[in-house]
Amino acid sequence: MGYKHGTYQTETSSDISLPIVLDYGHFIVGTAPMNKVKKENRRVNEIVRLGTYKEAIQYFGDTYDLDFSISQAIKVFFELYKVAPLYVVNILDLEKHKTVKKTQNDLSLTNGKVVIPNHKLITDTLVVKENATSQVISDAVTMWTDEGLEIYAKPSNGTKIDIEYEEIDLSKVTKAQALGGYDISTMKRTGLELLDEVYLKYSELPAFIDIPDFSSDSEVAAIMQTKAKNINGNMFEAVALINAPIDKPYDQIPKWKDDNNINGNDQIVLYGTLGLAGKKYIQSIQYAALSLSVDNENGGVPSQTPSNYSYKCDSLYWKNSSGNLEEIILDKEQQANLLNKNGVVTAINFKGWRCWGSETALNPMATDPKDKFIYTRRMFKYIGNELVISYFDKVDKKFSKKLAETVTKSMNIRLNAIVARNDLLSASATLSSEDNDPINVMNGDITWVIKLGVIPGMKSATFKKKYDVDALTEFAKSLGK
């Protein structure tokens, strides 16, 4: 210590550590109409955070064609529910997922314009020619509208044109591309593997993992379940959204779950395609948006189930044996509740369309209370994710008695605050006497027990009626007076 002569001041660290409260969004791997995006803005197999509708349109195009799952997500999150953010991975590559060259001839211009009712046409490949001479019209102008592609042209001879083009072929997008991987040579992630970059890039976490085009596949569902428990090397956790196949009637879904081994406590299975004003929506996307909307009403804490909250829909569909979407209305008691008790969420129309069901995919075999309900799983992850990042800076510090007390005290202050907000019944953090044996302590492996009393949702309410004999007895007695 250097020589001192005078008065001085300094600072020391506090006896508590403030929590790092995380923000959550929705992670989706899907397809976007990259044919409508400027070349410099096109993103393929990159994670992009979308916080505004303007950003969404800039990087992933408009929402006119809902065959594209990312277009659905943009419309649902930014137009229907007004929630954000989205963490988007587009896997559609215009160089890979396209048709061979196509032609259309004898297209008549009206006031110099013709509309091609096709939102998948790749304008980079479009060639406009004069019908009479096959001469290329180099100054033709195009514009996207809700009807399709408008072409403005001035042929030197006549009022007809011919066009050549390629278009997006969504059937060429594969589940392997959606799952992605890690390329050792380029050290780049693709597809679902980009999940690990969400926190690294944005210091936020996904509440849900969604691959809406392929999640009904058993392999995809299994890998999503694994990833949900192992984000950034087992640091963080989320929940996987699984869309049940819509080409099966509702009563076949429980067997489909069993046959495909979709029975994880971190999987949410959803049945039925949602409809609104003639447009069709994959249910997992609306479920995620609704859940985050309910979370926002609750201060960002996922203690409230979205079940019995309103979906943005006016119909529910399945795909019949003819391959056509057919509208269905599930009876709450006999049909929707059958799905619920077998771990499937759906939609019902009871004085308005509602999300219906809070059970995880592990049901009906969930015997541990922490695995039975979706809100319980999400609360465990919410608390766990926050603790993991809040105390990461304590790793490799000397584990003195003071550090043990500081960490324990800090955790309990935070947990008590969550209880005070009515988001938990009870919560506490204590050093584990069972796990912290001399060997583990000498190795620096310290364990705390975090007890969480999750507030149960009122899944049912029964009103038991009873005849009041005493009241009638007193009444009878009064008659003789």
Side-chain angles (χ1 to χ4, degrees):
M1 186 174 181
Y3 174 79
K4 290 185 177 182
H5 181 190
T7 56
Y8 310 89
Q9 64 173 304
T10 185
E11 295 182 3
T12 187
S13 58
S14 303
D15 291 336
I16 65 167
S17 297
L18 295 176
I20 298 175
V21 181
L22 294 164
D23 291 324
Y24 286 83
H26 181 52
F27 177 85
I28 179 172
V29 179
T31 56
M34 303 309 287
N35 56 323
K36 300 181 180 182
V37 179
K38 293 179 180 179
K39 288 184 179 181
E40 62 268 24
N41 290 334
R42 291 174 184 171
R43 300 289 187 270
V44 180
N45 274 310
E46 295 181 32
I47 183 74
V48 180
R49 181 190 186 276
L50 301 179
T52 66
Y53 184 69
K54 180 180 178 181
E55 292 174 340
I57 300 302
Q58 177 183 355
Y59 291 108
F60 298 107
D62 59 49
T63 60
Y64 293 139
D65 187 350
L66 297 184
D67 288 348
F68 297 94
S69 50
I70 291 173
S71 296
Q72 285 197 36
I74 292 170
K75 188 170 184 68
V76 166
F77 272 73
F78 295 105
E79 295 184 43
L80 298 183
Y81 286 88
K82 304 291 186 183
V83 291
L86 278 173
Y87 311 114
V88 176
V89 177
N90 167 60
I91 56 173
L92 189 136
D93 189 333
L94 294 180
E95 296 301 317
K96 297 177 181 178
H97 308 124
K98 64 180 180 178
T99 64
V100 296
K101 184 178 292 185
K102 296 184 176 184
T103 60
Q104 289 190 42
N105 300 320
D106 300 320
L107 298 173
S108 296
L109 296 168
T110 302
N111 296 324
K113 178 185 78 173
V114 65
V115 178
I116 311 300
N118 183 345
H119 285 279
K120 298 180 178 66
L121 191 153
I122 303 174
T123 53
D124 297 353
T125 67
L126 177 66
V127 178
V128 182
K129 297 180 179 181
E130 295 193 22
N131 175 258
T133 64
S134 295
Q135 187 74 24
V136 174
I137 303 175
S138 58
D139 61 352
V141 177
T142 61
M143 179 185 297
W144 291 105
T145 71
D146 59 345
E147 294 180 336
L149 184 67
E150 291 184 352
I151 300 176
Y152 295 84
K154 296 179 180 179
S156 59
N157 190 355
T159 59
K160 290 187 176 182
I161 60 172
D162 302 333
I163 60 173
E164 297 176 357
Y165 60 92
E166 296 168 347
E167 66 179 49
I168 292 171
D169 186 352
L170 290 174
S171 69
K172 291 185 177 180
V173 180
T174 67
K175 72 173 184 179
Q177 292 164 346
L179 291 172
Y182 182 78
D183 189 320
I184 297 177
S185 61
T186 62
M187 292 187 291
K188 289 186 176 181
R189 300 177 179 90
T190 59
L192 179 60
E193 284 301 309
L194 284 160
L195 179 68
D196 285 342
E197 295 188 8
V198 174
Y199 185 76
L200 299 179
K201 285 189 173 182
Y202 307 117
S203 299
E204 297 175 346
L205 283 176
F208 302 103
I209 302 170
D210 196 7
I211 309 181
D213 299 303
F214 299 101
S215 62
S216 62
D217 180 272
S218 59
E219 180 185 14
V220 175
I223 293 173
M224 289 174 68
Q225 159 87 351
T226 301
K227 288 296 292 183
K229 293 179 180 292
N230 294 279
I231 302 173
N232 294 106
N234 203 32
M235 281 188 71
F236 305 117
E237 295 186 3
V239 179
L241 301 181
I242 311 299
N243 291 292
I246 61 170
D247 60 353
K248 295 183 181 298
Y250 80 95
D251 56 351
Q252 291 183 16
I253 299 303
K255 186 176 187 303
W256 166 82
K257 276 184 68 229
D258 293 342
D259 291 346
N260 288 274
N261 201 34
I262 298 176
N263 54 13
N265 64 344
D266 287 331
Q267 292 173 319
I268 301 173
V269 178
L270 302 119
Y271 177 72
T273 293
L274 304 180
L276 179 65
K279 299 183 186 327
K280 308 300 186 295
Y281 296 92
I282 300 169
Q283 191 171 166
S284 62
I285 297 173
Q286 283 222 26
Y287 183 87
L290 175 61
S291 295
L292 292 177
S293 178
V294 173
D295 291 353
N296 289 342
E297 293 177 6
N298 208 46
V301 183
S303 58
Q304 173 61 55
T305 175
S307 180
N308 208 22
Y309 279 74
S310 295
Y311 267 145
K312 303 290 187 181
C313 72
D314 57 21
S315 49
L316 182 70
Y317 294 87
W318 80 295
K319 187 177 288 186
N320 61 28
S321 58
S322 300
N324 299 317
L325 287 176
E326 179 181 329
E327 188 172 348
I328 54 173
I329 297 179
L330 296 177
D331 175 79
K332 177 186 71 69
E333 202 64 33
Q334 300 301 325
Q335 298 175 314
N337 282 359
L338 171 70
L339 291 171
N340 289 171
K341 74 177 183 180
N342 283 284
V344 181
V345 176
T346 189
I348 63 168
N349 184 3
F350 187 78
K351 297 300 181 181
W353 284 92
R354 306 159 184 265
C355 172
W356 195 247
S358 296
E359 285 83 354
T360 68
L362 184 55
N363 285 279
M365 302 305 292
T367 56
D368 190 323
K370 73 179 179 62
D371 298 326
K372 186 171 182 61
F373 293 109
I374 295 165
Y375 53 82
T376 305
R377 299 304 305 147
R378 293 195 62 209
M379 281 302 293
F380 267 61
K381 295 175 189 304
Y382 177 83
I383 299 297
N385 290 342
E386 183 177 302
L387 294 178
V388 162
I389 197 59
S390 292
Y391 298 99
F392 185 80
D393 281 349
K394 303 300 182 186
V395 172
D396 289 332
K397 301 299 189 293
K398 292 184 295 184
F399 187 67
S400 62
K401 189 171 183 180
K402 181 176 181 180
L403 179 61
E405 291 173 348
T406 297
V407 171
T408 304
K409 179 181 178 181
S410 301
M411 284 193 286
N412 279 308
I413 290 173
R414 172 58 176 159
L415 292 172
N416 289 338
I418 296 174
V419 171
R421 289 187 71 260
N422 200 35
D423 288 317
L424 286 169
L425 284 175
S426 64
S428 65
T430 57
L431 281 163
S432 173
S433 58
E434 179 182 353
D435 297 290
N436 296 321
D437 57 66
I439 299 298
N440 283 335
V441 173
M442 282 186 282
N443 281 325
D445 298 323
I446 312 302
T447 300
W448 278 265
V449 175
I450 313 298
K451 297 183 74 172
L452 302 175
V454 177
I455 300 175
M458 187 171 69
K459 185 167 66 69
S460 71
T462 300
F463 305 99
K464 190 173 182 180
K465 303 179 289 279
K466 184 177 181 180
Y467 194 90
D468 192 340
V469 177
D470 292 339
L472 268 294
T473 301
E474 291 300 318
F475 174 70
K477 288 179 180 178
S478 69
L479 295 177
K481 293 181 181 178

